[in-house]
Amino acid sequence: MSWLTNFVRPKIRALVRKTEVPDNLWDTCPACSKMIFHRDLEAAQRVCPHCGHHMRLPAKRRLETLFDEGVYARIELPKVVADPLKFRDQKKYVDRLKAARDKTGEQDAILVAHGRIGGMSAVVAAFDFEFQGGSMGIAVGEGLVAAAKLAVLQQATLIVVPASGGARMQEGILSLMQMPRSVIAAEEVKEAGLPYIVLLTDPTTGGVSASFAMLGDIAIAEPGATIGFAGARVIEETIREKLPAGFQKAEYLLEHGMVDMVVHRHELRATLIRLIGLLTEPKPRAEIVAMPMPQLEIPDAKA
């Protein structure tokens, strides 16, 4: 009986037991609702292979896709007061910060890194939407200032990749003060004669779009990204009119001159390399070969 219980029964159960399939092997495209194998989606940089919808890309993954061979060095950002206003709604702000830090493994909603893009020096400040919707508080403002200073120090291109719902309400006026600070930081890069490029991703709204995000020398947007200040519903309720189709989408802004180009995620790195090269090396990158001029025969006027 012991032999049957300890040996035969487990073998039989192992044969008939259903194989457990992890729940996270498949993702659903929010645009076309088709299932995508998680490895295929990651290989496609989270762009739906069926409809081309650009899903949100984590900040670390964004840095990997932009820098040469995915190699970059992050900088430590200045420490700030965690809860300057002792804010509390349904939860304490400090508890919300702790939950966001545990979820993302980051101290706040911005990552600043430097390295090379196409062999040229670049500093990238990327927003992490998973951290409280990428909202801009004191820490984000300090991160943007640090990124600008590093770009000037290294004589490098500054690339900012916002993905944010706007200013962080739990920090009140202190979060709104980051708007002029970020504008000044961007101007310092421009005054140093360095390129300032903004890559607008979904979403770029609120105080972020009303400050540094729309001041780039070149404004690039990903397809389908929502870019604007107030939400479409709020605008419709305010003006009491129906907004046009595709309002606040990247393609709509391109048609109306608010962004310079809409670039597919798979082409972003090549586009940035070309733009950085044009902005930092205006001279030809190769030797100019003089072409011999053909000899023209001038007919005799007396003939």
Side-chain angles (χ1 to χ4, degrees), residues 117-165:
I117 298 178
M120 296 168 284
S121 297
V123 176
V124 179
F127 279 62
D128 186 356
F129 191 78
E130 292 298 315
F131 195 107
Q132 292 200 322
S135 53
M136 181 171 65
I138 300 174
V140 169
E142 290 288 351
L144 291 169
V145 171
K149 289 183 177 179
L150 181 62
V152 174
L153 181 65
Q154 295 187 349
Q155 290 293 289
T157 299
L158 176 60
I159 302 171
V160 180
V161 190
S164 173

Side-chain angles (χ1 to χ4, degrees), residues 1-13:
M1 190 69 180
S2 177
W3 176 75
L4 291 173
T5 303
N6 298 333
F7 184 76
V8 177
R9 184 179 295 175
K11 290 289 186 181
I12 295 173
R13 285 179 176 175

Side-chain angles (χ1 to χ4, degrees), residues 23-44:
D23 297 331
N24 60 348
L25 289 181
W26 295 86
D27 290 273
T28 303
C29 174
C32 66
S33 300
K34 292 188 177 181
M35 299 291 290
I36 312 164
F37 189 53
H38 72 110
R39 290 182 182 174
D40 294 338
L41 186 59
E42 288 302 318

